[in-house]
Amino acid sequence: MYLDPNQSKPIYEQVIFNIKKQILQGILSPGEQIPSVRALAQSLGINPNTIAKAYKDLEAQEVIVTVKGRGSFVNQVPSNDELSLQEEKKIRQEIREWLTEAQYAQIPIETIHKWIDEEVERIKNGN
Amino acid sequence: MYLDPNQSKPIYEQVIFNIKKQILQGILSPGEQIPSVRALAQSLGINPNTIAKAYKDLEAQEVIVTVKGRGSFVNQVPSNDELSLQEEKKIRQEIREWLTEAQYAQIPIETIHKWIDEEVERIKNGN
Amino acid sequence: MYLDPNQSKPIYEQVIFNIKKQILQGILSPGEQIPSVRALAQSLGINPNTIAKAYKDLEAQEVIVTVKGRGSFVNQVPSNDELSLQEEKKIRQEIREWLTEAQYAQIPIETIHKWIDEEVERIKNGN
Amino acid sequence: MYLDPNQSKPIYEQVIFNIKKQILQGILSPGEQIPSVRALAQSLGINPNTIAKAYKDLEAQEVIVTVKGRGSFVNQVPSNDELSLQEEKKIRQEIREWLTEAQYAQIPIETIHKWIDEEVERIKNGN
DNA sequence: GTGGTCTAGACCACC
DNA sequence: GTGGTCTAGACCACG
């Protein structure tokens, strides 16, 4: 896992992001134990509280399950047959927020579609 | 202009966003004067400091020019024939941040492309 | 608001519980601002981080909305026309956990129903 | 006996819960010997310390009696003619804790009564 | 060993 | 003024 200190995104969100990416890439499999709070904190050189916060959020999102005294484990990826309306609203909101920026910078819409396809590949393959 | 207080995005960024959108939609044309800091603040019912910060950022991005004692005016939209590498890196970063979420929620890539096209239309037409 | 230090329930959960109760009782109304993190922390004599945690959880549950630099505000109570299955599962789980205890203590089922009605009244009226 | 590792309730409490349920259901009768700490730990695949703690708590609650060198035995179910005030206070507290949640989720009081009756049946019949 | 809670105190972004 | 993030270090419950 790699954290970019130059990024404005808070560390704990970067950790959440990375764990999810590793699950999608199959580096972490359902049922598998993820590193302990203290171990990950030490290997990243940051405070354990920050990792604990990330793990708690991941549990609230039902990405992992945590058992006190034993550790945290990867959950099943949700079988989102019915795309929750809330999820759609959230993603659309995020699209809207950078798309005006992109339009203003005169980036052709085809280029944007291309970039998205490339990034999807990147997530699947692992950079 | 409409501000959504429920949005996590800070107000000054929402103001920047809205000014840019109005330029893209042709509501504001190059050379045209935009409302004064005080006038806009009053009409939106927010703190003038917040508008001042937004205008300062817009000037730094060369979207508007401010002439002391006269007001602020819309600049030419940049003719970005050559897409700056920095611009691309920034947009790709923003794409990456929500795309992992979307992948995790099992949203098909075709759906995402469709949403983007819809949102582009929305920007062009003005909601 | 009153915190019971003898209770095993963590302080931040007691705070969440109390805010929700006050909303149900009409002490706090939708749109109204709740006390600032620092103010509530001081008046309860506890660390501001603990209140901040409670408020963040309340925001994740969509009970309040928080605007950086302004404060936190009560949201609309959800119009749960369709009772989410997840909600039902959670409540049933909680019922199951103490009901065996009650059965073992030989408490008649009618008594339990009576207690629940009394507690509902108590929530509505405010102790 | 079945333990749910996904449940937030600690394992030793789940063991206590299950023993009591089996007594209520008549699977275990007063005077009957229950499995040894080691045997139960092995059959559940968990740490013997955990079972030992459960048995110790059960003995403190006078649900079982342990005779050194012989094993643990089921006690008489208490003939709680007079409901202890302490018992009532404890149960009422537990009711209060989830009832606010239920009220907030707009669950009708009739539904809650129905759920309780259903769960009582479930305990009596053994799922 | 594991995670959960809490305190104390710092710095930052926003209004 | 507001909340958000992060650090450092403590103590507890659980296995």
Side-chain angles (χ1 to χ4, degrees):
Chain A
M1 190 181 303
Y2 171 68
L3 300 181
D4 183 357
N6 298 339
Q7 215 173 316
S8 67
K9 202 188 240 195
I11 295 177
Y12 80 93
E13 283 187 14
Q14 291 186 45
V15 171
I16 292 174
F17 174 86
N18 273 286
I19 298 284
K20 282 185 178 173
K21 202 169 77 176
Q22 290 184 7
I23 295 174
L24 283 175
Q25 291 170 0
I27 299 174
L28 291 173
S29 308
E32 190 176 343
Q33 184 163 9
I34 63 176
S36 80
V37 168
R38 287 162 170 86
L40 186 53
Q42 193 172 17
S43 85
L44 293 173
I46 61 175
N47 191 292
N49 280 339
T50 306
I51 302 293
K53 192 174 189 179
Y55 280 17
K56 245 208 144 191
D57 282 12
L58 281 167
E59 175 152 45
Q61 292 173 35
E62 303 190 324
V63 173
I64 61 173
V65 287
T66 293
V67 188
K68 235 198 311 207
R70 291 204 39 227
S72 299
F73 303 82
V74 178
N75 227 331
Q76 296 294 333
V77 175
S79 68
N80 242 5
D81 291 333
E82 20 161 278
L83 184 58
S84 93
L85 214 69
Q86 210 184 8
E87 201 72 51
E88 169 168 353
K89 230 173 114 183
K90 211 176 95 194
I91 303 281
R92 284 189 104 110
Q93 180 62 39
E94 300 202 65
I95 289 174
R96 220 169 294 144
E97 289 185 6
W98 58 264
L99 201 52
T100 306
E101 209 66 48
Q103 289 288 93
Y104 192 83
Q106 308 268 36
I107 299 171
I109 179 71
E110 298 81 27
T111 306
I112 291 174
H113 284 309
K114 199 189 70 187
W115 286 352
I116 287 178
D117 286 333
E118 286 171 8
E119 293 300 335
V120 168
E121 281 311 306
R122 220 163 135 171
I123 291 171
K124 277 192 187 140
N125 302 332
N127 283 28
Chain B
M1 188 182 307
Y2 172 67
L3 301 179
D4 182 359
N6 295 350
Q7 211 174 314
S8 66
K9 200 187 251 199
I11 292 179
Y12 81 93
E13 280 188 18
Q14 290 187 48
V15 171
I16 293 174
F17 174 90
N18 272 284
I19 299 282
K20 283 187 178 173
K21 199 167 82 175
Q22 289 183 6
I23 295 174
L24 283 175
Q25 291 170 359
I27 298 174
L28 290 173
S29 309
E32 189 175 343
Q33 183 166 8
I34 62 176
S36 76
V37 167
R38 284 181 194 171
L40 186 53
Q42 192 172 19
S43 84
L44 292 173
I46 61 176
N47 194 313
N49 287 336
T50 308
I51 302 294
K53 163 142 195 180
Y55 280 17
K56 212 178 140 204
D57 282 15
L58 281 167
E59 179 152 36
Q61 291 174 38
E62 304 188 331
V63 173
I64 62 172
V65 284
T66 296
V67 186
K68 242 199 309 213
R70 291 205 37 230
S72 300
F73 302 84
V74 177
N75 235 328
Q76 294 295 332
V77 176
S79 67
N80 243 2
D81 291 334
E82 27 172 74
L83 193 58
S84 92
L85 209 68
Q86 205 185 12
E87 200 73 51
E88 170 168 353
K89 227 172 124 183
K90 202 176 115 199
I91 303 281
R92 284 189 106 109
Q93 179 61 36
E94 299 201 67
I95 290 174
R96 219 169 294 144
E97 287 183 10
W98 58 263
L99 200 53
T100 307
E101 291 293 333
Q103 290 287 96
Y104 196 84
Q106 310 263 39
I107 298 171
I109 178 68
E110 299 80 27
T111 306
I112 291 173
H113 284 309
K114 200 189 69 187
W115 286 353
I116 287 177
D117 287 334
E118 286 171 10
E119 293 300 336
V120 168
E121 281 310 307
R122 226 164 130 169
I123 292 172
K124 278 193 186 139
N125 302 331
N127 276 29
Chain C
M1 191 182 303
Y2 171 67
L3 300 180
D4 183 356
N6 298 339
Q7 214 173 317
S8 66
K9 202 189 243 201
I11 295 177
Y12 80 93
E13 281 187 15
Q14 291 186 47
V15 172
I16 292 173
F17 175 87
N18 272 286
I19 298 284
K20 282 186 179 172
K21 200 170 79 177
Q22 290 185 6
I23 294 174
L24 283 173
Q25 291 170 1
I27 298 175
L28 291 173
S29 308
E32 191 176 342
Q33 183 165 8
I34 63 177
S36 79
V37 168
R38 287 161 170 87
L40 186 53
Q42 192 172 17
S43 86
L44 293 173
I46 61 175
N47 191 292
N49 281 339
T50 306
I51 302 293
K53 191 174 188 178
Y55 279 17
K56 240 204 148 195
D57 281 13
L58 281 168
E59 175 152 45
Q61 292 173 36
E62 303 190 325
V63 173
I64 62 173
V65 286
T66 293
V67 188
K68 238 201 305 210
R70 292 205 39 226
S72 298
F73 303 82
V74 177
N75 226 331
Q76 296 294 332
V77 175
S79 69
N80 242 4
D81 292 332
E82 18 162 280
L83 186 57
S84 93
L85 213 70
Q86 210 186 7
E87 202 71 52
E88 169 168 354
K89 230 172 115 183
K90 210 176 95 194
I91 303 280
R92 284 190 105 110
Q93 180 62 37
E94 300 201 65
I95 290 174
R96 219 168 295 144
E97 290 185 6
W98 59 265
L99 200 52
T100 306
E101 209 67 47
Q103 290 287 94
Y104 193 84
Q106 308 267 35
I107 299 170
I109 178 69
E110 299 80 27
T111 306
I112 290 174
H113 284 309
K114 200 189 69 187
W115 286 352
I116 286 177
D117 285 334
E118 286 171 9
E119 293 299 336
V120 168
E121 281 311 306
R122 221 164 136 170
I123 291 171
K124 277 193 187 139
N125 301 331
N127 279 30
Chain D
M1 188 181 305
Y2 172 68
L3 301 179
D4 182 358
N6 295 349
Q7 212 174 311
S8 66
K9 201 187 247 198
I11 292 177
Y12 81 92
E13 281 188 17
Q14 290 188 47
V15 171
I16 293 174
F17 174 89
N18 272 285
I19 299 281
K20 283 187 178 173
K21 200 168 80 176
Q22 289 183 5
I23 296 174
L24 284 174
Q25 291 170 359
I27 298 174
L28 291 173
S29 308
E32 188 176 344
Q33 183 166 9
I34 62 176
S36 75
V37 168
R38 284 181 194 172
L40 186 53
Q42 192 171 20
S43 85
L44 292 173
I46 62 177
N47 193 314
N49 287 336
T50 308
I51 302 294
K53 163 141 195 179
Y55 279 16
K56 212 177 140 204
D57 282 15
L58 281 167
E59 180 152 35
Q61 292 174 37
E62 302 188 333
V63 173
I64 62 173
V65 283
T66 297
V67 187
K68 240 199 312 215
R70 287 204 41 231
S72 300
F73 302 84
V74 177
N75 234 329
Q76 294 295 331
V77 175
S79 67
N80 243 4
D81 290 335
E82 26 172 76
L83 191 58
S84 92
L85 210 67
Q86 205 185 11
E87 200 73 50
E88 170 168 353
K89 229 174 123 183
K90 201 176 113 198
I91 303 279
R92 285 188 106 109
Q93 179 61 38
E94 299 202 66
I95 290 174
R96 220 169 294 144
E97 288 183 10
W98 57 264
L99 200 53
T100 307
E101 292 292 335
Q103 290 287 96
Y104 197 84
Q106 308 264 40
I107 299 171
I109 178 69
E110 300 81 26
T111 306
I112 291 173
H113 284 310
K114 200 190 69 187
W115 288 351
I116 287 177
D117 287 334
E118 287 172 8
E119 294 300 334
V120 168
E121 281 310 306
R122 225 164 130 168
I123 292 171
K124 276 191 187 140
N125 302 331
N127 278 27

